[in-house]
């Protein structure tokens, strides 16, 4: 499979690159700093330096791929619109390029609460996570309104740790049991596995170790 990864130099994105190559995929890594990041040398890896908000650059990078992985990050203060407007541009250019499949990364707050409101809107949701949660919500809304075959992984705290292969997932709601954390290695493994298995198309996904 030919995959393009946005946010390829971050903690999650760099794991996606390495695991995708290990699985034998052809990988395009897109970002501003891909040539200075610690990405592996591999004949199946193409580095594409580009700007996330540039329509032409993103379209060109997506064209010819089978699927997209988005691990966009940014500041948590709500002023950084990388997650929302970056996703908007990715969705727009995917539709122009005729690429249908995307697995994107969001946050726990975009999952449903028991009353089917967002966890983000619960009175006891941690205030420090609300600004970035709203950015994730906007990104999800762009996906939901699109014609794409999307999956939006709503992760809890991401731990910089290796793959265990042991984690739980759930569609649209937090998983049970929920440890409110996920190893970055397991998160990347799930995102790549979902690309192939398509178990959660047009769903958000709760995940936990």
């Amino acid at each position: 499979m030919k995959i393009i990864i946005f946010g390829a130099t971050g903690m999650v994105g760099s794991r996606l690159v390495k695991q995708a190559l290990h699985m034998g995929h052809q990988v395009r890594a897109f970002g501003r700093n891909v040539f200075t990041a610690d990405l592996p040398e591999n004949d199946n890896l193409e580095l594409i330096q580009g700007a996330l908000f540039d329509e032409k650059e993103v379209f060109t990078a997506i064209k010819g791929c089978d699927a997209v992985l988005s691990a966009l990050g940014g500041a948590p203060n709500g002023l950084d619109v990388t997650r929302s407007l970056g996703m908007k541009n990715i969705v727009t250019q995917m539709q122009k390029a005729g690429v249908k499949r995307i697995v994107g990364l969001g946050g726990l707050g975009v999952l449903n609460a028991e009353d089917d409101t967002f966890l983000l809107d619960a009175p006891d949701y941690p205030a420090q996570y609300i600004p970035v949660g709203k950015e994730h919500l906007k990104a999800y809304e762009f996906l939901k309104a699109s014609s794409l075959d999307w999956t939006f992984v709503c992760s809890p705290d991401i731990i910089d740790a290796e793959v265990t292969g042991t984690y739980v997932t759930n569609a649209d709601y937090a998983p049970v049991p929920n440890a409110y954390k996920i190893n970055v290695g397991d998160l990347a493994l799930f995102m790549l596995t979902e690309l192939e298995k398509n178990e959660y198309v047009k769903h958000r996904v709760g995940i936990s170790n």
Side-chain angles (χ1 to χ4, degrees), residues 86-166:
M87 182 64 79
K88 181 181 181 181
N89 193 30
I90 290 170
V91 166
T92 300
Q93 304 316 319
M94 285 181 69
Q95 292 176 146
K96 288 181 181 178
V99 178
K100 295 282 289 184
R101 188 70 173 109
I102 178 171
V103 177
L105 180 62
L108 181 71
V110 185
L111 294 171
N112 286 345
E114 290 183 3
D115 61 358
D116 289 338
T117 60
F118 294 110
L119 289 176
L120 177 66
D121 297 326
D124 60 347
Y125 195 79
Q128 67 268 31
Y129 297 135
I130 290 176
V132 70
K134 289 182 176 179
E135 270 293 287
H136 287 144
L137 178 59
K138 291 176 184 176
Y140 162 64
E141 288 171 342
F142 286 127
L143 285 171
K144 187 179 179 182
S146 76
S147 61
L148 303 178
D149 293 331
W150 56 268
T151 302
F152 198 53
V153 185
C154 302
S155 74
D157 287 340
I158 302 171
I159 308 301
D160 190 5
E162 299 297 329
V163 173
T164 67
T166 302

Side-chain angles (χ1 to χ4, degrees), residues 27 66 75:
V27 178
D66 300 307

Side-chain angles (χ1 to χ4, degrees), residues 12 16 68-72 83 87 101-111 136-137 139-140 143 150-156 158 167-173 175 182-184 186-195 200-208:
V12 179
L16 287 170
V68 174
L69 288 170
S70 172
L72 299 178
R83 295 172 179 87
M87 182 64 79
R101 188 70 173 109
I102 178 171
V103 177
L105 180 62
L108 181 71
V110 185
L111 294 171
H136 287 144
L137 178 59
Y140 162 64
L143 285 171
W150 56 268
T151 302
F152 198 53
V153 185
C154 302
S155 74
I158 302 171
Y167 52 83
V168 289
T169 56
N170 196 20
D172 302 316
Y173 294 84
I182 184 70
N183 287 5
V184 66
D186 287 322
L187 181 58
L189 175 62
F190 170 75
M191 292 176 72
L192 283 159
T193 301
E194 173 59 20
L195 270 189
Y200 294 99
V201 175
K202 298 189 186 295
H203 284 284
R204 291 156 289 156
V205 181
I207 187 169
S208 174

